[in-house]
């Protein structure tokens, strides 16, 4: 989104925009926007309304640039029922219910770290926030060289409240200074992934697993020379990774088995000719960006008869063993 488009947002904001249909009319969509921190803007959370029926069915904006709150970070996530932002300068989450008669008053949950306005305002405000099921994850850095965390919370879809807090010290796990940027859950919810932009250049993709007590434990990291950004689960159920300046998106070949590592393919998806990736990816609400996973078998490094190949199963919740 460009600033002069009339619907808010900033091209440099981590999660600049997310759209969610109205609760009672899926031809109407809220377009929620955030602004880049550090550019002299007001750091505003705004919304516009897009109507598919407008302009003889061509669609169009029927309300725009309506401010709901300032100041916020560049983080925004949503479900079918809620849109959630994080205030800037404190530890407040604000959740707005999407009701048939409009947006509710915000539900404010004060929990987790303060998203400081100093000493590195851009770093503190940048990074992704995601809801998946009953979990909410936030990528948070105090500066480009750390400390950097992924903070995990329980999300209550019924009330819009954020409860229970666990902080993961990512820099301690990888033993290298950097800024956490992208964060995402695996389709089955057994794994958590984060991208860290390293102080000395390049990035690393960090993988965590949930144990039987729902605690998060470090598994491994996969350093790369590229600058990695957002991680996003697309409607096909696949996890894609933004790679700054690349003609490809990275792909995480997820292994839901918590004792085995997933595989990162830096050239897993070729972009259209003449185009290249930036640090962001389309920001879906968890209800619409999460397709039902189709069961199947993935085969890597097929070679000659008699030589070893690797097989990985992509399963659904109704499949216990393969």
């Amino acid at each position: 989104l460009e600033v002069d488009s009339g619907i808010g947002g900033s091209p440099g904001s981590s999660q600049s925009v997310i759209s969610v249909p109205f609760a009672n009319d899926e031809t109407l969509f809220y377009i929620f926007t955030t602004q880049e921190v550090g550019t002299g803007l007001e750091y505003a959370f705004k919304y516009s309304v897009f109507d598919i029926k407008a302009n003889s069915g061509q669609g169009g904006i029927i309300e725009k640039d309506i401010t709901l709150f300032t100041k916020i970070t560049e983080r925004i996530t949503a479900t079918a029922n809620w849109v959630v932002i994080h205030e800037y300068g404190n530890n407040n989450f604000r959740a707005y219910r999407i009701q048939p008669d409009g947006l509710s008053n915000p539900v404010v949950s004060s929990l987790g770290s303060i998203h400081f306005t100093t000493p590195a305002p851009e770093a503190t405000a940048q990074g992704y926030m995601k809801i998946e099921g009953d979990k909410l994850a936030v990528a948070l850095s105090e500066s480009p060289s750390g400390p950097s965390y992924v903070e995990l919370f329980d999300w209550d879809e019924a009330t819009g409240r954020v409860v229970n807090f666990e902080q993961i010290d990512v820099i301690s796990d990888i033993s290298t200074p950097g800024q956490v940027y992208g964060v995402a859950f695996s389709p089955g919810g057994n794994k958590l992934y984060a991208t860290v932009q390293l102080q000395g250049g390049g990035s690393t993709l960090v993988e965590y697993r949930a144990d039987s007590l729902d605690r998060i434990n470090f598994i491994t990291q996969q350093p790369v020379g590229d600058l990695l950004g957002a991680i996003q689960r697309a409607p096909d159920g696949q996890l894609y990774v933004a790679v700054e300046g690349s003609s490809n998106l990275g792909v995480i070949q997820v292994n839901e088995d918590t004792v085995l590592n997933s595989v990162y393919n830096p050239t897993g998806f070729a972009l259209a000719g003449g185009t290249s990736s930036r640090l962001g990816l389309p920001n879906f609400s968890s209800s619409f960006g999460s397709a039902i996973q189709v069961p199947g078998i993935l085969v890597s490094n097929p070679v000659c008869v008699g030589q070893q190949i690797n097989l990985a199963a992509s399963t659904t919740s109704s499949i216990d063993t393969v």
Side-chain angles (χ1 to χ4, degrees):
L1 292 174
E2 299 295 338
V3 175
D4 62 359
S5 66
I7 60 173
S10 302
S13 178
S14 298
Q15 292 177 284
S16 60
V17 61
I18 194 167
S19 63
V20 184
F22 273 50
N24 60 344
D25 188 345
E26 291 197 357
T27 66
L28 295 173
F29 289 81
Y30 286 108
I31 302 174
F32 299 103
T33 61
T34 71
Q35 292 183 318
E36 182 178 1
V37 169
T39 61
L41 298 175
E42 55 187 333
Y43 314 160
F45 172 49
K46 299 183 177 185
Y47 79 89
S48 300
V49 176
F50 182 86
D51 186 356
I52 292 177
K53 305 182 298 296
N55 299 321
S56 301
Q58 297 299 308
I61 299 292
I62 58 173
E63 297 181 59
K64 67 180 181 180
D65 206 31
I66 300 169
T67 299
L68 286 171
F69 188 79
T70 59
K71 294 181 171 180
I72 71 163
T73 68
E74 299 174 10
R75 303 176 177 93
I76 183 170
T77 188
T79 69
N81 302 306
W82 298 89
V83 59
V84 184
I85 59 172
H86 198 288
E87 295 183 24
Y88 190 38
N90 55 45
N91 67 342
N92 290 344
F93 293 89
R94 297 174 71 89
Y96 296 78
R97 183 184 284 276
I98 301 167
Q99 303 176 136
D101 59 348
L103 299 174
S104 72
N105 291 326
V107 176
V108 178
S109 303
S110 302
L111 191 66
S113 294
I114 293 173
H115 293 208
F116 292 103
T117 57
T118 57
E122 294 89 348
T124 310
Q126 292 168 351
Y128 273 63
M129 178 168 67
K130 293 285 184 66
I131 292 175
E132 190 66 49
D134 61 356
K135 296 294 182 183
L136 184 149
V138 177
L140 177 65
S141 297
E142 295 183 18
S143 74
S145 59
S148 290
Y149 314 101
V150 172
E151 299 197 334
L152 287 179
F153 306 84
D154 290 334
W155 163 252
D156 189 335
E157 180 71 14
T159 66
R161 296 203 172 277
V162 178
V163 297
N164 299 329
F165 167 51
E166 179 181 359
Q167 186 182 77
I168 302 169
D169 187 344
V170 178
I171 300 307
S172 176
D173 290 332
I174 66 175
S175 301
T176 306
Q179 179 179 350
V180 178
Y181 192 84
V183 65
F185 297 93
S186 66
N190 295 329
K191 300 283 186 70
L192 175 73
Y193 304 92
T195 58
V196 183
Q197 299 167 358
L198 302 177
Q199 185 180 23
S203 303
T204 189
L205 177 68
V206 190
E207 182 176 0
Y208 292 89
R209 66 176 176 85
D211 64 19
S212 60
L213 298 177
D214 210 24
R215 295 173 301 198
I216 301 299
N217 299 285
F218 173 74
I219 297 179
T220 189
Q221 61 170 314
Q222 300 183 50
V224 296
D226 302 307
L227 190 63
L228 302 182
I231 310 171
Q232 178 62 57
R233 177 140 58 102
D236 64 0
Q238 182 67 64
L239 285 181
Y240 295 92
V241 182
V243 185
E244 175 72 22
S246 175
S247 58
N248 297 277
L249 295 180
V251 174
I252 301 174
Q253 297 172 354
V254 174
N255 191 329
E256 294 282 5
D257 191 327
T258 56
V259 299
L260 297 176
N261 298 346
S262 301
V263 176
Y264 174 65
N265 181 352
T267 58
F269 182 85
L271 298 173
T275 65
S276 59
S277 173
R278 298 288 296 274
L279 290 177
L281 288 171
N283 189 15
F284 298 123
S285 74
S286 63
S287 301
F288 300 99
S290 305
I292 296 174
Q293 189 177 14
V294 178
I297 299 292
L298 304 176
V299 183
S300 61
N301 66 298
V303 283
C304 299
V305 173
Q307 291 188 335
Q308 177 176 303
I309 63 172
N310 296 323
L311 302 175
S314 58
T315 68
T316 68
S317 59
S318 60
I319 298 176
D320 296 320
T321 58
V322 175

